[in-house]
Amino acid sequence: MPTINAGELRKGQKVLIDNDPCEILLCEFVKPGKGQALYKLKLKSLIKGSNIERTLRSGDSLESADVRKSPGQFMYSDQDNYYFLDSTNFEQYPLAVSVVGTRGLFLQENAPCDLLFFNDRLIDMDPPQQIISKVTYTEPAARGNTANGLTKEAQIETGATVKVPAFIEIGELIKVETSTGTYVERAGK
């Protein structure tokens, strides 16, 4: 693996810390009054999700991580895993339910996703930014109770619960922001 000198480290680069691929969130150059220059790093582990802080001296280096992003597609899920198809080589990869977390509530069959690989092993995925889904259940709006700003809960096809405006009814299509789980707009019937 190639190494990267401390002076060449930048935000967004992927490096290995204790054999764990990490993304640099912040790289700050610190020049104390006397002594050697330092680089303070804030990193995020791409596998564990934890934040890490490290201090490097000028002249130190870190190993570059073999991380690649690839376009993919969500196929199906079972109790233990979600299964994705890598669009570049058409191979199927499992990803544990614990890794996907609540993002799985917004996955639809055949939905495009970005897949993140480390040493040719799937370690994470990003769902599409927005999805269009049908409302499967919501309480009817009370007559005259359709003023702006009133919301209610609605369940969509994927199983997620989303706060929607009071005028949304069962069977309507809505657009949902997957990163926040919020209603964006009505998308038709």
Side-chain angles (χ1 to χ4, degrees):
M1 284 287 153
T3 59
I4 305 170
N5 286 333
E8 298 170 348
L9 293 172
R10 302 285 178 261
K11 179 180 176 180
Q13 285 180 317
K14 314 293 190 285
V15 294
L16 287 178
I17 302 286
D18 303 326
N19 292 323
D20 188 17
C22 297
E23 180 177 0
I24 299 175
L25 302 176
L26 177 73
C27 183
E28 196 173 60
F29 176 74
V30 179
K31 178 76 173 125
K34 59 183 177 177
Q36 211 172 14
L38 302 172
Y39 294 89
K40 292 194 177 220
L41 301 176
K42 289 188 181 179
L43 307 114
K44 180 177 183 176
S45 169
L46 296 175
I47 293 178
K48 300 173 191 159
S50 58
N51 290 330
I52 303 167
E53 292 190 14
R54 288 286 156 102
T55 302
L56 301 176
R57 295 185 180 127
S58 75
D60 287 349
S61 61
L62 291 175
E63 200 172 330
S64 178
D66 179 23
V67 175
R68 73 174 171 89
K69 249 188 176 168
S70 179
Q73 181 176 357
F74 170 65
M75 303 303 292
Y76 63 95
S77 64
D78 60 25
Q79 287 183 326
D80 302 321
N81 295 303
Y82 286 86
Y83 296 90
F84 297 90
L85 180 74
D86 184 349
S87 297
T88 56
N89 61 12
F90 301 104
E91 286 192 40
Q92 192 170 309
Y93 296 91
L95 192 58
V97 169
S98 60
V99 174
V100 175
T102 57
R103 296 175 296 172
L105 291 172
F106 299 103
L107 288 175
Q108 298 171 313
E109 282 189 23
N110 302 321
C113 300
D114 288 326
L115 305 177
L116 186 65
F117 292 88
F118 172 62
N119 290 339
D120 291 325
R121 191 180 110 228
L122 181 62
I123 60 170
D124 201 9
M125 69 89 198
D126 287 321
Q129 286 185 322
Q130 296 180 339
I131 62 167
I132 294 176
S133 186
K134 186 183 283 189
V135 174
T136 57
Y137 178 78
T138 187
E139 294 291 328
R143 188 173 190 107
N145 206 7
T146 57
N148 284 346
L150 286 177
T151 60
K152 61 183 180 178
E153 289 191 347
Q155 190 165 6
I156 59 175
E157 289 176 305
T158 62
T161 301
V162 179
K163 290 222 180 260
V164 297
F167 58 81
I168 298 294
E169 298 172 359
I170 295 174
E172 287 193 67
L173 294 175
I174 60 171
K175 190 179 283 187
V176 177
E177 183 73 35
T178 59
S179 61
T180 58
T182 55
Y183 167 86
V184 176
E185 66 185 1
R186 194 186 250 172
K189 282 219 177 226

